[in-house]
Amino acid sequence: RACVHACVRACVRGAHAVVWLHACALLFALRFRDWYVASMAGVEKRLMRRSAPGNLLFVGEEKNGGQYYPKMDHLVCFLPGLLALGAVNGIERERHMNQAKEILHTCHEMYARMPTKLSPELVHFNLAGGGDDIQVHPKDKHNLLRPETVESYFILYRLTGDKKYQDWGWEMVDAFEKHCRVDGGGYTSISDSTNKDNVQPRDKMESFFLGETLKYLFLLFSDDNELVPLDKYVFNTEAHPLPIYTP
């Protein structure tokens, strides 16, 4: 707050306003960095667990005053990309990059272990052993053509050059073609990702499939690293590339 007031005073007086604004921008960036580091430390301590027997790293939920739920929504699969971007910019470089790769492997398993090769909306994880790592409840079997996993495939591919992320993306494309494509054009969400013989098409295509999922697939399969370079642009939550401000 004091920094903002100082910036305003400098602008009003017309004295060294640009210098003040750059200084404030730096201070805010450092504050946001501290918040990010603290947040990710909390996620690691309180929410990250490993499944049994396959030792898959996942991010669960805490509710009702600290009760832990070993479930992970597909929406969480943006997190590997976030962690990887932080890592290449010097934040817990090795630790966060390893976590990014492991959580993204878990997101891939959410697809690969389904008969349709399409992830359900969310999954529960086995912590006790003696069964499958991933469990799907009947109300969670639907797939809405969401972008979060392929977003992280794209980011990890750009940052590591590991072509397995392109291979995983192609598996997704193949599954969309087999189970979601509509005669005459378009793709539909499905009600049952666990039954490849009866996916129960919903006759509905969410706007984010065009605006995000296909955009990230396009970028994933491009080997032109200058096509929206990640050191010059940041994608917001709706996959809009915004230029990174450099003082």
Side-chain angles (χ1 to χ4, degrees):
R1 184 177 300 173
C3 181
V4 173
H5 289 167
C7 289
V8 171
R9 288 197 301 272
C11 290
V12 171
R13 295 171 183 171
H16 308 295
V18 174
V19 174
W20 272 105
L21 289 172
H22 284 179
C24 287
L26 177 60
L27 288 172
F28 282 129
L30 293 173
R31 175 72 62 84
F32 290 138
R33 180 190 177 99
D34 291 343
W35 288 344
Y36 172 77
V37 170
S39 296
M40 290 304 102
V43 169
E44 179 178 357
K45 180 179 179 180
R46 303 184 68 90
L47 302 181
M48 286 187 188
R49 299 285 191 281
R50 291 188 180 275
S51 68
N55 206 40
L56 299 174
L57 183 64
F58 69 94
V59 180
E61 296 181 1
E62 259 192 17
K63 297 180 181 179
N64 303 326
Q67 184 177 358
Y68 186 78
Y69 291 82
K71 61 180 284 285
M72 187 168 84
D73 290 53
H74 186 281
L75 293 167
V76 176
C77 290
F78 85 94
L79 186 60
L82 177 68
L83 287 167
L85 286 170
V88 299
N89 284 282
I91 300 177
E92 296 287 348
R93 188 179 298 273
E94 185 175 354
R95 187 180 193 84
H96 280 189
M97 183 60 80
N98 288 338
Q99 289 172 346
K101 292 177 180 178
E102 285 203 70
I103 296 171
L104 189 50
H105 171 69
T106 300
C107 292
H108 174 254
E109 289 298 297
M110 289 167 61
Y111 282 79
R113 298 192 185 200
M114 297 301 114
T116 60
K117 306 304 179 185
L118 290 170
S119 172
E121 180 71 359
L122 64 89
V123 301
H124 291 75
F125 290 90
N126 182 4
L127 298 180
D132 294 332
D133 290 81
I134 293 176
Q135 302 164 353
V136 183
H137 294 182
K139 62 183 177 63
D140 306 323
K141 296 187 295 184
H142 51 288
N143 178 284
L144 302 181
L145 314 174
R146 288 198 183 277
E148 290 79 19
T149 295
V150 70
E151 175 185 359
S152 288
Y153 287 169
F154 158 61
I155 293 172
L156 267 290
Y157 174 65
R158 276 286 183 90
L159 298 181
T160 69
D162 191 335
K163 288 189 175 293
K164 76 177 180 184
Y165 299 114
Q166 288 185 319
D167 295 338
W168 289 356
W170 190 251
E171 292 172 7
M172 185 185 296
V173 170
D174 188 50
F176 285 152
E177 289 291 313
K178 286 181 178 178
H179 301 295
C180 302
R181 186 163 184 167
V182 177
D183 292 339
Y187 293 79
T188 178
S189 53
I190 60 175
S191 293
D192 193 350
S193 63
T194 67
N195 186 347
K196 65 180 180 180
D197 298 318
N198 184 19
V199 297
Q200 302 175 42
R202 292 186 165 191
D203 194 26
K204 180 180 181 182
M205 183 175 71
E206 302 285 351
S207 61
F208 54 68
F209 179 67
L210 296 177
E212 301 179 58
T213 306
L214 293 185
K215 182 186 293 183
Y216 284 125
L217 283 167
F218 176 82
L219 291 168
L220 172 65
F221 295 126
S222 172
D223 286 322
D224 181 5
N225 287 342
E226 291 306 307
L227 181 63
V228 197
L230 294 179
D231 61 340
K232 296 178 182 177
Y233 290 88
V234 61
F235 286 88
N236 72 1
T237 188
E238 300 300 327
H240 301 308
L242 303 175
I244 297 172
Y245 171 71
T246 303

